[in-house]
Amino acid sequence: THLIRQQYEEKELLAGLISTIEENIEELSKDRYGNYVIQDLIEYSGDASAVVRLLLPSLPRLSQHRFGNYVVQKLLFDSDTQPDVVETLLDVDSPCSFAEIAATRFGSYVAKALVESLDEENGIAIARRCRSILSNAPAHLRQSPYYHEVFVAVESAVFSLTDQPAPWFASSVDLAALSPAAGGVILQPAALSVESEHLAFISLAEKVLRA
């Protein structure tokens, strides 16, 4: 990684390095140290799009990996690669769907990074798309505490990106949706009125997550 940073002006050299590791780029992204090499190539090569083209098919798998998720997050915060990465993560089917990514420990980091990377130009449409995917997730995924963290982040993004005060729909929160689990409580978003943009859900969900 030191070589990449020192030679960041040598674009041809870095392009050659990307070509050299092309066949093993997914394995490198999953490696404890190799993921740093890929991250530096994204930042310093001057052609992050070349990296994302090689990684697109494996992004959903990398999102759920202990080290690979860092590479996906790096791509999400690169303006040149973010749109392709977002579309790939939201368009994939099981067993690496966005809902399944959100319900895993490392995948939840990527899902929240995706939400954080959204801008005002097209962010609201994507945030609502994320919400639709999550609200239709199978019941076993909705039991995951990581899923709930992502759901709250998505709801917050919807409110933030619309820049409008959300009404307080106390009646949209079904207290019966709370049930004891693992010493705490689990919130079941399916029992809520997901189509209504309500602060009540966020307020209660945050309390649950802190419990």
Side-chain angles (χ1 to χ4, degrees):
T1 61
H2 293 300
L3 175 62
I4 293 173
R5 295 176 187 181
Q6 291 171 0
Q7 302 295 327
Y8 72 94
E9 292 183 350
E10 300 293 335
K11 303 305 181 186
E12 291 185 5
L13 185 152
L14 297 182
L17 179 57
I18 293 174
S19 177
T20 300
I21 64 174
E22 179 175 346
E23 294 183 1
N24 301 305
I25 193 167
E26 181 176 353
E27 288 71 19
L28 273 174
S29 298
K30 292 179 178 179
D31 185 77
R32 178 187 296 269
Y33 304 109
N35 79 90
Y36 293 114
V37 173
I38 306 303
Q39 288 187 66
D40 278 354
L41 283 174
I42 294 168
E43 183 171 353
Y44 297 105
S45 69
D47 188 14
S49 58
V51 178
V52 79
R53 281 195 299 271
L54 298 174
L55 284 175
L56 273 181
S58 56
L59 288 181
R61 294 190 298 272
L62 290 176
S63 296
Q64 300 177 70
H65 190 270
R66 179 177 183 180
F67 302 117
N69 81 89
Y70 297 125
V71 172
V72 184
Q73 290 186 64
K74 190 77 170 181
L75 289 169
L76 280 169
F77 289 107
D78 185 289
S79 59
D80 292 331
T81 59
Q82 189 258 10
D84 288 337
V85 176
V86 169
E87 186 60 31
T88 297
L89 295 179
L90 296 185
D91 198 43
V92 72
D93 296 323
S94 184
C96 293
S97 68
F98 180 71
E100 288 165 308
I101 290 172
T104 63
R105 176 184 176 185
F106 302 114
S108 68
Y109 300 150
V110 170
K112 285 184 284 189
L114 184 154
V115 174
E116 188 180 342
S117 74
L118 301 179
D119 56 29
E120 295 181 357
E121 182 177 349
N122 60 0
I124 184 60
I126 295 174
R128 285 174 171 159
R129 185 178 172 190
C130 290
R131 183 172 63 179
S132 176
I133 293 172
L134 293 177
S135 65
N136 288 290
H140 71 279
L141 295 180
R142 298 198 301 269
Q143 295 290 330
S144 167
Y146 305 115
Y147 165 93
H148 298 309
E149 293 177 9
V150 175
F151 197 93
V152 170
V154 170
E155 286 290 280
S156 298
V158 170
F159 299 142
S160 174
L161 291 167
T162 53
D163 196 27
Q164 295 178 356
W168 185 276
F169 293 106
S171 61
S172 67
V173 178
D174 183 359
L175 295 180
L178 299 177
S179 59
V185 287
I186 291 295
L187 192 61
Q188 303 289 346
L192 307 178
S193 177
V194 179
E195 294 305 314
S196 300
E197 297 179 350
H198 48 76
L199 286 173
F201 173 79
I202 289 184
S203 176
L204 185 54
E206 288 178 340
K207 291 178 182 178
V208 169
L209 292 172
R210 288 197 296 267

